[in-house]
């Protein structure tokens, strides 16, 4: 089945109650949101007790397609799924990208592959397969204080803290347009 366009990271985190795909692409310039999405997926699929057996993380510039596929083809030991993160997947060599693209033709149904990139080339074979078979999660940086205010309202409702609208407006005006900085200030 053909997937539609990508979902925004905050929507994915708010609306997703369970992991429903074996393939995810988490992309965009905002590292804070990427880490939140990765953390959510990881917490949904592996526990502290099963992490050593059923979770592996790679970086595209430090691994090969063969190593990644070897992990993806392993049967989970203590979890329902084996989880593999491939950060900066766009840094893989072309041959390794093609190998992963081939793997996507007959994925192991007990392994979840999560790829990250800042700006993936959606014309490449692997990217096209992810677009067709997986879920794309976009992590945009905030563009204005309004984005920070919207994010702050969601954060406050999650932690059940009330803040006057004037205070929210002031907070979002004086904080840089960066979710990580806003989160750090909110935590204080």
């Amino acid at each position: 089945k053909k997937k539609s366009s990508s979902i925004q990271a905050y929507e994915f985190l708010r609306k997703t109650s369970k992991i429903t795909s074996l393939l995810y692409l988490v992309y965009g310039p905002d590292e804070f949101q990427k880490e939140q999405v990765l953390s959510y997926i990881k917490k949904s699929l592996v526990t502290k007790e099963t992490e050593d057996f059923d979770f592996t993380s790679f970086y595209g510039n430090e691994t090969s397609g063969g190593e990644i596929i070897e992990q993806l083809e392993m049967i989970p030991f203590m979890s329902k799924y084996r989880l593999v993160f491939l950060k900066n997947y766009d840094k893989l060599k072309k041959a390794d990208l093609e190998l992963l693209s081939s793997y996507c033709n007959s994925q192991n149904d007990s392994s979840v592959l999560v790829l990250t990139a800042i700006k993936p080339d959606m014309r490449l074979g692997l990217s096209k397969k992810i677009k067709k078979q997986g879920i794309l999660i976009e992590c945009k940086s905030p563009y204005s204080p309004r984005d920070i205010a919207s994010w702050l309202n969601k954060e406050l409702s999650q932690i059940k803290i009330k803040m006057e609208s004037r205070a929210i407006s002031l907070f979002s005006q004086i904080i840089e347009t960066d979710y990580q900085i806003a989160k750090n200030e909110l935590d204080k």
Side-chain angles (χ1 to χ4, degrees):
K1 65 184 178 178
K2 179 105 171 98
K3 296 281 179 185
S4 60
S5 62
S6 60
I7 183 171
Q8 297 299 315
Y10 64 87
E11 284 183 52
F12 173 80
L13 293 167
R14 192 169 43 109
K15 294 180 179 177
T16 305
S17 59
K18 67 180 192 171
I19 302 305
T20 58
S21 179
L22 298 176
L23 190 56
Y24 290 87
L25 171 56
V26 183
Y27 71 97
D30 195 277
E31 292 299 322
F32 175 73
Q33 285 187 347
K34 273 192 241 178
E35 286 304 318
Q36 282 191 313
V37 169
L38 293 178
S39 176
Y40 178 81
I41 292 172
K42 187 175 176 184
K43 284 178 186 169
S44 299
L45 296 178
V46 294
T47 63
K48 289 273 185 224
E49 295 78 31
T50 64
E51 183 177 344
D52 290 343
F53 305 103
D54 295 322
F55 170 71
T56 308
S57 186
F58 295 104
Y59 287 88
N61 59 334
E62 299 174 359
T63 192
S64 70
E67 286 179 287
I68 298 160
I69 290 172
E70 184 179 299
Q71 290 296 317
L72 289 166
E73 290 180 341
M74 288 177 139
I75 295 169
F77 183 63
M78 297 175 72
S79 301
K80 184 176 179 183
Y81 293 101
R82 178 143 186 74
L83 178 60
V84 176
F85 285 172
L86 175 55
K87 297 180 178 185
N88 303 323
Y89 89 94
D90 50 334
K91 304 286 188 228
L92 277 175
K93 292 181 177 94
K94 187 177 181 192
D96 293 321
L97 287 169
E98 289 170 4
L99 199 58
L100 274 178
S101 184
S102 294
Y103 166 80
C104 290
N105 291 332
S106 57
Q107 271 185 278
N108 177 352
D109 62 3
S110 62
S111 289
V112 174
L113 174 60
V114 181
L115 304 146
T116 72
I118 293 174
K119 191 172 183 188
D121 185 344
M122 297 310 282
R123 301 168 300 173
L124 297 177
L126 179 58
S127 299
K128 285 180 180 178
K129 287 207 172 130
I130 298 166
K131 202 170 181 178
K132 276 186 185 170
Q133 297 169 222
I135 295 176
L136 281 70
I137 304 166
E138 187 174 13
C139 300
K140 288 183 179 176
S141 296
Y143 292 115
S144 69
R146 183 181 301 146
D147 293 338
I148 294 291
S150 175
W151 170 85
L152 181 59
N153 277 318
K154 291 177 188 114
E155 286 292 306
L156 291 171
S157 71
Q158 280 185 320
I159 57 177
K160 296 177 180 23
I161 292 178
K162 297 213 183 290
M163 189 183 277
E164 289 183 26
S165 58
R166 260 184 64 215
I168 290 172
S169 178
L170 184 62
F171 180 90
S172 57
Q173 294 293 325
I174 61 172
I175 292 296
E176 287 182 51
T177 49
D178 181 301
Y179 291 124
Q180 183 65 60
I181 292 171
K183 174 74 170 142
N184 292 345
E185 288 300 315
L186 182 61
D187 289 345
K188 288 179 184 178

